[in-house]
Amino acid sequence: GNVNATMVAVLPNPASSKVTVTGLGNAKQLVLTNAAGAIVKRYNVTAPQMELNIASLPDGMYVIRILQSDGSTQVLKLMKR
């Protein structure tokens, strides 16, 4: 792995309406999946930081997969409540 990989973070967590994902400087795509692994939303990353509106999603655990331009993937857990 790349030691210099940007640390991706999601705040706030847990969240109820909006979350901000930071550290996306080398990311191409962000995929939000639910606990069962089904894709809820896909986002093309256009900025180092993105705001996701999750207000309409059911409460529960979600996984944010960040696809980096070098082909690697970073995974973050997000609790919606």
Side-chain angles (χ1 to χ4, degrees), residues 12-68:
N13 193 1
S16 57
S17 59
K18 286 182 179 173
V19 294
T20 300
V21 184
T22 60
L24 298 173
N26 295 316
K28 288 197 303 188
Q29 194 177 61
L30 189 153
V31 180
L32 182 65
T33 62
N34 63 19
I39 293 175
V40 179
K41 286 184 178 174
R42 284 181 194 267
Y43 304 87
N44 285 320
V45 176
T46 55
Q49 157 170 333
M50 288 181 66
E51 187 176 80
L52 312 183
N53 186 338
I54 60 166
S56 61
L57 300 179
D59 289 358
M61 180 65 80
Y62 291 85
V63 175
I64 298 173
R65 289 182 180 277
I66 294 139
L67 282 56
Q68 301 288 354

